[in-house]
Amino acid sequence: MNGLLGYCRQGFEPELAAELGERAAAADIPGYARASRDDGYVLFVTGDAADARALERALPFRELVFARQKLRLLAELRGIDPKDR
């Protein structure tokens, strides 16, 4: 999986997803946001690693309103109990 992981306050996932989507579109980087209410994070998925790196550079953390932290995705861990974080 390629893209960004943005942490936010619980309940602000839709706002962060919209912000990431709008900023990525403005930078002409294709992708989509995956978010669920009260998870405290948003995944913005891009097509490949080059798009993820470009998005990371195009979205400086200090310019994001709803993100508390922004990280580039390196891998997706599956089969892990979400209650055990």
Side-chain angles (χ1 to χ4, degrees):
M1 177 181 287
N2 296 297
L4 297 180
L5 168 65
Y7 288 104
C8 62
R9 290 181 60 193
Q10 286 183 325
F12 286 87
E13 298 83 4
E15 289 83 357
L16 178 56
E19 181 179 24
L20 293 176
E22 289 171 10
R23 300 284 302 276
D28 201 29
I29 299 170
Y32 61 93
R34 288 187 356 202
S36 295
R37 180 71 76 176
D38 294 328
D39 276 351
Y41 69 90
V42 173
L43 293 175
F44 191 87
V45 181
T46 61
D48 58 25
D51 285 341
R53 285 190 298 273
L55 185 60
E56 183 178 32
R57 287 189 302 273
L59 301 177
F61 171 71
R62 292 181 182 172
E63 295 179 10
L64 295 174
V65 175
F66 294 101
R68 289 187 163 189
Q69 190 173 12
K70 178 195 76 162
L71 306 163
R72 188 163 49 97
L73 293 174
L74 299 176
E76 181 179 15
L77 303 175
R78 296 178 186 208
I80 297 175
D81 185 2
K83 296 177 185 171
D84 185 23
R85 324 190 210 176

